[in-house]
Each structure stands twice: as C-alpha cells, then as structure tokens.
Amino acid sequence: MHKGPEMLKKPLQYLKGVGEARAALFKRLGIHTVGDVISHYPRDYEDRSMLKKLIQLEDGDQCSFEGIIASRVVVSKPRRGLTISRVSIRDETGLINAVWFNKPYLKDQLRPGERYLFFGKITRRGTFEVLNPVYEKMDGSGPVNTCRIIPVYPSTGKLTQNVIRSVIRNALSYTGDSIEDILPGWIRERYGLADALYSISNIHFPESDDAFLKARKRLVFEELLILQLALMSVRTVQESDLSGIAFGAREEVRRFIGGLPFRLTNAQLRVLEEIERDMESSRIMNRLVQGDVGSGKTIVAVAALVKAVKSGYQGAFMVPTEILASQHYSSLKELLEPLGINIALLTGSIGTKDARRILEGISAGEIDITVGTHALIEDRVVFRNLGLVITDEQHRFGVRQRAALGKKGACPDMLVMTATPIPRTLALILYGDLDISIIDELPPGRKKVLTYAVDSSMRERVYNFIRKQVKEGRQVYIVCPLVEESDAVDAVSASELALELAHKTFSDLEVGLVHGKMRPSEKDDVMKRFISGETNILVSTTVIEVGVNVPNATLMVIENAERFGLSQLHQLRGRVGRSSYQSYCIMFNDSSSEVARERMKVMTETSDGFIISEKDLELRGPGDFFGTRQHGIPELKIANLYKDMDILKNAQEAAEALIRDDRTLKEQENRLLRRAISEKFSGIMDAISMN
Ligand code: ADP
Ligand code: MG
C-alpha cells in the first residue's frame, strides 16, 4: 500500500534535529506529527533571493552572497553585556566585514577557509560591512535561510524561525515524493491546480512568486473543498425524506404576542412568520435566525416554543453558558408560566436529586420546555415527545452538538439562533444546510452606543465617568481579556482588577467579579446580584460575552481591547444599549499595531454587525474567524474566506459535482478525499456517518 499516510503520522521526533525538548515546543503549536509540521504553513515570506558578488554590493542592499571566511573571528567586549564578533569574508571579486553582537560562540563555528552563504543588510562605512548576517553552509538540498524566498512561520517565543525552517526542510525530504495527491485528476485539470507535492514544497520554500501563487491556490482549494464536502454530507443526511411534525396553535401564538409589554418589530414579525410556516409544514424545519445583538431574537424563539407546546409537544432550548441558561430560564418562567407552561432548567451544576426529578419530568412529559447547557445532549436526557429544538448563540456550538440534540426527538424541528452575523454569501456556504432568516431591525427607542477608544492616560477620567454613571443609577461592566490561553491567568487578571477597584478606587460602591474558573453556583449568585441592581460594577472575563441581558447596564469598559477580535468587541458592546438610557462603550487600547487601530476605528464608526463581521474577516488572518469555537468547523489553515471567495465558489461547484456522481465518495479516485474529510471532521462524522 501507500507509505505516505503512515509517514505523515510518525511523531516529530522521527525527524533529524528534533529531540524531546524541541518536540515539546512544537507541541505547544499543536504540532505532533510529521504531517502536522508540513501543514504548518508560513504566515509570511521574506525575499532573500537577490544574490550578489561582493563587488556588486551597494550601500543599503539587503541581499545574499556567498563567501569564504578570510580571517579568524575576533571577539571584543567594549562594555558589560556586549560582545562584538568580527570576521572578514571574501569571494573572488572582493572583501567584506561581518559584525555580530552577543554571539561569542561564532568564534568556534566559523573557521577560516570555510565557505558559507550569507544574508544581511549591507552598509558602507569606508569599507563594506554587514551587520548580524544570517549564515548557513551549502548542503545537498539547497539553501534554507538565504538566497531564496524565505518562509516566516507562526511560532512561540522559544522556537526560532531557523529551527522551524530546518525541521520543515527535513520533514519534506523525509516524506519526499511519497506525498499523495488527494485531489482526483479531473478536478486538478478542470480548475488548473498544481499537484500536491509541488504545492507543499512551494508553499514552504517557493521557487518564485509564481510558484508560490500556484501552490497557495491549490492548497486553498483543497482546504475549502474538504470543508464543503463535509458540510454537504451533513445536509444530505438531513434532507432525507423523513417527515416532520405539522404544528398548529396559530391562535395561541397571536395571543402570546398580544400580551407582551411591547410590539414586535416588523423584522421580528416577518421572521416569526417564516418560522411558523416552516413549523406548520410537515417538512422538518432547519432554520437559522441571524440578528444583531439586541435585535430581540429571544422573544421570537419563545414564540416558537409556545407554538410547539400548545401543539402538544416538548421544546428544548440549548445555550452555551450556565449564566445564559439561568437568565433564559427566569425570563421564560416569567413569560410562560402564566400560560400554564412548565419550564425546567438543566445544567451540569444542578444537584443529583433535583436533576433526577427534572429528568423524570422530562421523560414523563410533565415538563414542557427545558432550558439548559450541553447537559441537554447527555444520554440520560430522554424526552417524551420532543418537537422543537432551539440552540441560542449557535456560534458557540458545533454542528455535531446541534445534530446530537436533534436526535433526542423523532424528527423535531430545529431553530438555530446566532448573534454573529456573517455576510450572506458566506452564510449560504457555511450554513448551507439551513434556511436563513434575518432580523435586521432593532427595537424602537434604542440609542446608538457611543463608543470611544482611549489609552491608559485616560484611566482616571474613565473612572470618574464610571462613578457618574453609577450615581445616576446605572450599572457598569468592566471586561478583562484572556491574558494567555489559560483560564487561570485570565481569572487572575480580572480578580486583581476587581480587588483593586473594590478596595481602593470604588471602595464605596459594590464591585462584583465573575470569571470562568468560579463554581457555577458562585457565578449564578454574582449574576443575580448584578441583575437585581445590588452590584454597581461587574468586573468579568469574557464569560458575559454572549447573551447576557441587563438593561440597566449602560457602560461597557473593555480592558486591553487590542486583544479582542472585532466580532467579540461587538458582542461585548452588545451587553449595553439594551434600554432607552444612553449607553457607552469605552475600549482601552495601548497597542499601536495597525490591526488594533483599524479595529478600534471600525468599532467607533459603525454599530452594524454585518459590516463589522465583514471587516473582521478582512482583518483576521486565516484560521481565526472560523475557528472551532465559533462555528464548530475546524480552523482553516490557509484559506481566507474573505479574500478567497472565488476559489471558494469553485470548490463548492467541485464538491457538488463530486457528491452528485459519488455520494459517499466510495470510488477509488475519491477515497483519499473521503479519508481526509473524516480525519479533519471526525467530530462531525461522529454524529453523521457518511455510509
Ligand atoms: P438578542 O437578539 O441579543 O438575543 P434579546 O432577545 O436579549 O436580544 O433582546 C434584547 C432586549 O430587547 C430584551 O430586553 C428584550 O426584552 C427586548 N426586546 C425584544 N424585542 C423587543 C421589541 N420589539 N420592543 C422592545 N423591546 C424588545
Ligand atoms: Mg440572545
């Protein structure tokens, strides 16, 4: 059989130059195997391809040159903490001096008479000089760090670019031409795509700009094709001709809406109508409701639940966090208990005894609506006649979880709510399995959230403003970012700030703290105190990012705003501006990075979630936006859904053709593709088999 796949699964230590220590560093980048490292694509490139003879050098050149060490390395120590190493280098046309700082060991590495390749910036001070040049020995497989276009990789501090480059070079020579092409020949031909080996080699060490472009196009296509095929396989399963429930209860829904303290907006009414029509038909509903933060999605979902219950079925409402679950639970109780509807809350933190009682109620059909976290998809939850499944803030759930909850009923209707608006074209592709409704209108009377980006020098003024808001009876959020990937550190920074504010700056006010490391019951208490107005200022991590609704809160202060993506900033800002009081969002940003500044600018200039999401796509690199966390889809390694829209369209067309001819991708020429899909999307495939 092929030796390709086995080689790719070998641990990294198989490669020359990788011991335990380096392997550990690579692990931190999520790289475990030879296959992982060759698909660790560069984030950028540096052109070092200009190669000159020494006589051709000019002041200011950045170029590569070849030369022989022409003297011993002389090391001097002009002052503490500084060593300077100098050596002269010659070729057949001239001489140049090389100077390095703080690399005393070069003395033992560069020997007179040896030949090297160099790259660096040339200056002329009387004689020519090159500062801190990169150098490497010529070897069989050609230069890695000089004389060519050089890849620059995503890295963590301790892994240097040189190390990553040489490991990848070794990996490529190890796998050699045993890399298999998973794309069928006809697809490569029709879309003018380079073959796999060429593309992998040239994405890392491009022979030319043109070769890079060809390589990238092929790899982007492949990645998007696999994504499309995986999504389509979800759809084919769901489109099977199982028939769903035909709900009724139109009257009851009208009565429910009529009893609300406000009128639904036209957008809410339109979307509710679309939902009701789906529910009344015997086709299974698979509908996505997109709506900006604060557009009032919850009430539309609740109306759909009323329809289900009053037609004699149970409903399930799944949300991503406990905070949100208990918030929805209380508001559902308030709205629906007067209509004789029984609501239960089911989360991981509910005690065993209570849980047992609730589970019994669910299976006996005494509980009409269960609100909960992913505890809802556990095996022990058995519904008597589940008719409607709603997932709120869908961007936090995977396709798999959605499917799993759906399996709890015979053929329940599914409603998916998301507050991460995405451009329509993308929605069609990513949620191709769903019909889409958009609530594109905010309830009347909402004022625009006034948004400012400030730096730390304004801290005192911001604190004064916080005090002013509190004096007027309003409440304030202060959000701290994830400092590192670890929740622990994250929690510390929020706790420290809360402590300081509670004991110093705002010692006369009530300061609360909520973060992900707290026990659910603690979180609940803190949130309850904030909701009741007892707490004036809530310091938190991003656990309050989604869904939290406290209309009296009018000021959102975001610490280290540069660490958040645009969609996240927009979500956070969406926690305020939920009443007729004027609301504010203040973002602390001390970063001067271009991207950070651009994000701040977008935030201060627009409040339209659709525009923001499009900007977000544009400003983020591949891999960020459609991460697992947000869409339940594996991170894209190379494709950029904003910039690669054309390739995406081709990939979608190809995927359709493939599925049409060979629905389960069983044919010989499609088998490798099929395997790639199931490896990458094992999560989704757990729930939806392609057989
Ligand atoms: P989101 O779309 O962000 O989930 P919510 O459903 O939490 O928004 O609604 C935000 C707030 O707006 C809630 O307090 C809700 O009661 C209120 N609301 C919803 N629809 C209307 C409406 N038509 N008129 C006035 N207020 C509304
Ligand atoms: Mg919501």
Side-chain angles (χ1 to χ4, degrees):
M1 273 290 289
H2 303 283
K3 56 175 185 165
E6 283 67 49
M7 292 174 97
L8 296 180
K9 287 195 182 115
K10 288 266 173 11
L12 213 55
Q13 274 105 315
Y14 250 75
L15 299 173
K16 205 171 69 181
V18 185
E20 218 163 283
R22 274 190 184 164
L25 291 174
F26 274 101
K27 269 198 189 111
R28 287 171 51 180
L29 293 172
I31 296 170
H32 304 270
T33 63
V34 173
D36 292 341
V37 85
I38 64 174
S39 55
H40 186 58
Y41 300 132
R43 65 170 162 80
D44 202 359
Y45 298 85
E46 189 181 328
D47 191 351
R48 298 181 182 172
S49 59
M50 185 170 32
L51 177 66
K52 285 193 167 182
K53 293 287 178 200
L54 292 181
I55 198 169
Q56 299 170 309
L57 294 180
E58 286 173 40
D59 191 28
D61 274 353
Q62 302 230 35
C63 68
S64 300
F65 57 90
E66 185 179 350
I68 294 173
I69 304 294
S71 70
R72 283 192 313 109
V73 179
V74 179
V75 181
S76 60
K77 285 198 170 186
R79 56 183 159 82
R80 259 171 91 107
L82 178 66
T83 63
I84 299 182
S85 312
R86 292 173 195 276
V87 76
S88 49
I89 300 166
R90 68 173 164 76
D91 69 1
E92 65 281 10
T93 69
L95 205 67
I96 188 168
N97 288 319
V99 179
W100 287 271
F101 299 117
N102 292 335
K103 294 198 170 159
Y105 53 85
L106 290 181
K107 189 159 51 83
D108 308 317
Q109 291 189 356
L110 303 173
R111 300 246 155 76
E114 285 183 337
R115 183 179 286 272
Y116 290 92
L117 293 165
F118 298 89
F119 170 83
K121 183 167 181 187
I122 312 296
T123 54
R124 178 165 192 177
R125 293 187 199 151
T127 59
F128 279 103
E129 204 172 80
V130 58
L131 270 191
N132 283 321
V134 175
Y135 64 94
E136 66 184 339
K137 267 243 153 85
M138 272 285 217
D139 75 7
S141 54
V144 176
N145 293 307
T146 64
C147 304
R148 57 178 316 142
I149 301 171
I150 305 295
V152 180
Y153 293 97
S155 177
T156 61
K158 282 191 181 145
L159 266 183
T160 65
Q161 292 294 329
N162 284 0
V163 168
I164 302 180
R165 270 175 219 138
S166 81
V167 169
I168 288 181
R169 172 54 72 93
N170 291 341
L172 290 174
S173 57
Y174 172 70
T175 51
D177 53 13
S178 66
I179 289 179
E180 300 167 297
D181 204 319
I182 67 172
L183 294 183
W186 69 267
I187 288 189
R188 269 186 286 145
E189 224 158 89
R190 182 184 298 175
Y191 297 100
L193 303 171
D195 68 55
L197 180 60
Y198 175 93
S199 305
I200 290 283
S201 319
N202 277 285
I203 202 69
H204 290 292
F205 298 101
E207 285 156 17
S208 62
D209 287 350
D210 192 47
F212 159 73
L213 291 174
K214 278 199 189 118
R216 184 174 184 283
K217 179 179 166 191
R218 141 81 201 217
L219 295 171
V220 167
F221 185 98
E222 177 181 318
E223 185 167 53
L224 295 175
L225 179 69
I226 290 173
L227 173 66
Q228 281 303 299
L229 286 171
L231 292 171
M232 281 177 184
S233 69
V234 176
R235 195 176 337 174
T236 27
V237 170
Q238 289 178 347
E239 270 173 11
S240 51
D241 13 65
L242 291 170
S243 61
I245 304 159
F247 296 89
R250 212 159 240 279
E251 260 317 297
E252 285 86 340
V253 173
R254 299 280 89 64
R255 216 174 305 137
F256 167 70
I257 293 171
L260 291 173
F262 46 75
R263 278 177 45 98
L264 292 190
T265 63
N266 288 333
Q268 284 171 318
L269 288 170
R270 172 170 43 76
V271 169
L272 179 58
E273 179 59 33
E274 287 164 359
I275 292 169
E276 287 204 71
R277 242 183 285 141
D278 278 4
M279 288 181 72
E280 285 162 15
S281 96
S282 60
R283 235 189 84 223
I284 297 176
M285 171 167 76
N286 269 299
R287 185 166 286 279
L288 171 76
V289 175
Q290 280 200 68
D292 215 340
V293 281
S295 61
K297 292 181 290 294
T298 315
I299 203 70
V300 174
V302 174
L305 285 167
V306 168
K307 190 175 184 75
V309 172
K310 293 295 174 189
S311 306
Y313 291 88
Q314 289 173 299
F317 197 167
M318 182 162 74
V319 302
T321 64
E322 300 224 355
I323 290 176
L324 199 49
S326 71
Q327 176 188 296
H328 276 344
Y329 171 67
S330 332
S331 53
L332 258 67
K333 251 172 97 116
E334 203 178 306
L335 286 164
L336 301 182
E337 271 185 357
L339 309 184
I341 295 176
N342 277 329
I343 322 270
L345 174 67
L346 188 64
T347 65
S349 62
I350 302 245
T352 349
K353 241 176 84 189
D354 287 338
R356 192 168 329 128
R357 190 176 41 77
I358 293 168
L359 291 172
E360 277 167 18
I362 295 173
S363 64
E366 285 151 15
I367 291 171
D368 301 309
I369 296 173
T370 313
V371 182
T373 55
H374 39 255
L376 283 176
I377 56 183
E378 285 167 17
D379 284 339
R380 58 185 188 145
V381 186
V382 180
F383 290 88
R384 204 172 90 91
N385 59 348
L386 181 62
L388 176 64
V389 167
I390 301 182
T391 51
D392 195 13
E393 309 295 351
Q394 146 75 14
H395 58 297
R396 291 299 186 96
F397 288 112
V399 177
R400 182 164 60 104
Q401 286 155 315
R402 202 202 316 146
L405 188 53
K407 286 193 171 160
K408 299 258 173 204
C411 302
D413 276 7
M414 305 270 267
L415 191 59
V416 172
M417 328 274 285
T418 174
T420 303
I422 53 174
R424 198 172 177 97
T425 37
L426 276 186
L428 288 174
I429 288 158
L430 292 172
Y431 298 116
D433 56 323
L434 300 170
D435 297 311
I436 299 176
S437 294
I438 299 181
I439 306 185
D440 50 4
E441 184 184 347
L442 294 181
R446 295 279 169 79
K447 297 202 179 76
K448 203 171 163 255
V449 178
L450 298 175
T451 303
Y452 307 92
V454 302
D455 61 32
S456 302
S457 69
M458 299 281 283
R459 187 163 287 278
E460 191 144 334
R461 286 180 63 184
V462 171
Y463 284 170
N464 288 337
F465 188 62
I466 291 176
R467 187 172 287 284
K468 189 161 163 264
Q469 287 292 306
V470 172
K471 274 225 174 90
E472 287 172 15
R474 306 284 81 76
Q475 289 164 283
V476 178
Y477 295 99
I478 304 180
V479 173
C480 301
L482 282 149
V483 171
E484 277 204 350
E485 303 291 26
S486 115
D487 277 347
V489 183
D490 169 29
V492 168
S493 76
S495 319
E496 277 172 1
L497 182 65
L499 217 68
E500 189 188 309
L501 295 181
H503 292 284
K504 293 191 191 145
T505 326
F506 299 120
S507 55
D508 53 329
L509 304 178
E510 282 303 314
V511 178
L513 167 70
V514 63
H515 60 69
K517 287 268 142 165
M518 287 161 72
R519 276 202 318 269
S521 60
E522 283 179 286
K523 276 191 247 180
D524 224 38
D525 286 347
V526 175
M527 289 311 296
K528 282 199 179 114
R529 278 200 299 278
F530 191 62
I531 291 164
S532 73
E534 197 180 316
T535 307
N536 308 115
I537 301 170
L538 182 63
V539 179
S540 107
T541 57
T542 51
V543 290
I544 55 116
E545 175 185 336
V546 292
V548 172
N549 184 35
V550 181
N552 190 47
T554 51
L555 172 57
M556 166 62 67
V557 176
I558 305 173
E559 298 282 342
N560 296 98
E562 73 278 0
R563 294 183 197 245
F564 296 97
L566 263 181
S567 293
Q568 218 176 359
L569 290 171
H570 181 61
Q571 279 290 327
L572 288 170
R573 177 170 60 183
R575 296 312 110 220
V576 297
R578 293 178 161 259
S579 64
S580 52
Y581 300 116
Q582 178 62 55
S583 286
Y584 306 86
C585 174
I586 299 178
M587 303 174 292
F588 278 112
N589 167 39
D590 284 313
S591 157
S592 55
S593 95
E594 193 63 33
V595 175
R597 260 198 308 226
E598 183 70 17
R599 281 187 191 142
M600 299 305 127
K601 187 161 164 270
V602 173
M603 284 296 291
T604 50
E605 284 174 359
T606 177
S607 53
D608 181 326
F610 284 89
I611 294 176
I612 288 175
S613 72
E614 215 161 304
K615 257 326 221 199
D616 199 17
L617 269 183
E618 192 185 330
L619 289 177
R620 284 174 176 233
D624 292 337
F625 186 81
F626 286 96
T628 313
R629 205 189 113 228
Q630 289 186 321
H631 296 274
I633 289 169
E635 271 190 9
L636 295 177
K637 288 196 151 147
I638 186 163
N640 176 313
L641 290 168
Y642 184 79
K643 295 180 182 130
D644 296 320
M645 195 59 97
D646 289 342
I647 303 181
L648 181 55
K649 284 188 186 129
N650 285 339
Q652 193 174 31
E653 182 189 289
E656 273 160 13
L658 275 165
I659 296 264
R660 195 166 49 235
D661 297 343
D662 178 16
R663 211 184 111 163
T664 54
L665 301 180
K666 279 242 160 71
E667 273 166 37
Q668 192 55 36
E669 63 166 1
N670 297 334
R671 279 180 170 254
L672 292 174
L673 254 185
R674 186 189 144 107
R675 190 176 61 205
I677 295 166
S678 62
E679 275 170 11
K680 221 175 157 181
F681 287 78
S682 52
I684 293 182
M685 295 307 149
D686 283 350
I688 299 122
S689 104
M690 280 188 80
N691 298 311

